[in-house]
Amino acid sequence: MAVTTRVSERDRVDGVDVQAPPPPPATAQDTSIGDLISDISADLSQLVRDEIELAKAEIKEESTKAGKAVGMLGGAGYAGHLVLLLGSFTVIFALSNVMDIAWAALIVTAVWAVVGAVLYSTGRKRLRTVNLKPEQTMETLKEDARWARHPRS
């Protein structure tokens, strides 16, 4: 069979349907400025969407790792609490050999009250120095805005 000369979406070669080749890409002369800007806008939008998806994936992965680590720290905190509780009972019973058990319990309680007060005071002082405003990010965003208003090559 011969190759047909008709122009259509599908041609027949040797009795088999063949897809017509795609049209050649537009040359610089055929493309308008509006089309170029549209293409750039679409590419930029796709790039931003891809970057956001990548960031989401990374954050999800890191959040999962952080969640597991925090769970382990919580378990360690509970174990530490039990150690302090049982250690306190040990000290109380050891002191009960020297004095009445009520006085021994009162002394251990007073020691823990002092430790708690010191930790509270130190934590409160450090918490007052915390600045939740992301200073570096804000400065970077301001620089980006200045650059966008007055770009330099």
Side-chain angles (χ1 to χ4, degrees):
M1 294 208 148
V3 176
T4 58
T5 58
R6 63 190 157 104
V7 178
S8 68
E9 242 183 72
R10 294 190 163 276
D11 287 339
R12 293 186 63 82
V13 175
D14 294 329
V16 179
D17 285 339
V18 178
Q19 181 79 24
T27 61
Q29 295 170 350
D30 296 340
T31 307
S32 70
I33 293 177
D35 290 339
L36 290 174
I37 291 174
S38 175
D39 289 347
I40 290 171
S41 176
D43 289 346
L44 184 60
S45 295
Q46 185 61 43
L47 178 63
V48 168
R49 281 192 295 273
D50 290 346
E51 289 296 328
I52 289 172
E53 288 302 316
L54 177 61
K56 284 181 183 177
E58 285 181 295
I59 288 171
K60 183 177 179 182
E61 181 180 330
E62 291 301 313
S63 296
T64 302
K65 288 179 3 185
K68 290 177 183 178
V70 167
M72 289 181 183
L73 288 174
Y78 180 71
H81 175 259
L82 289 177
V83 166
L84 288 175
L85 181 66
L86 296 174
S88 296
F89 284 141
T90 302
V91 171
I92 289 170
F93 287 122
L95 286 175
S96 70
N97 289 328
V98 181
M99 63 183 76
D100 186 44
I101 195 165
W103 286 108
L106 184 63
I107 290 171
V108 171
T109 301
V111 167
W112 280 117
V114 169
V115 168
V118 168
L119 288 173
Y120 172 79
S121 175
T122 305
R124 188 169 180 205
K125 285 178 186 174
R126 288 185 184 177
L127 191 58
R128 287 182 179 172
T129 64
V130 172
N131 183 9
L132 295 179
K133 183 178 176 184
E135 296 292 338
Q136 290 180 342
T137 301
M138 295 298 291
E139 186 60 34
T140 303
L141 288 174
K142 288 178 185 176
E143 287 176 12
D144 290 347
R146 283 192 297 265
W147 180 85
R149 277 188 236 123
H150 308 288
R152 288 175 264 175
S153 298

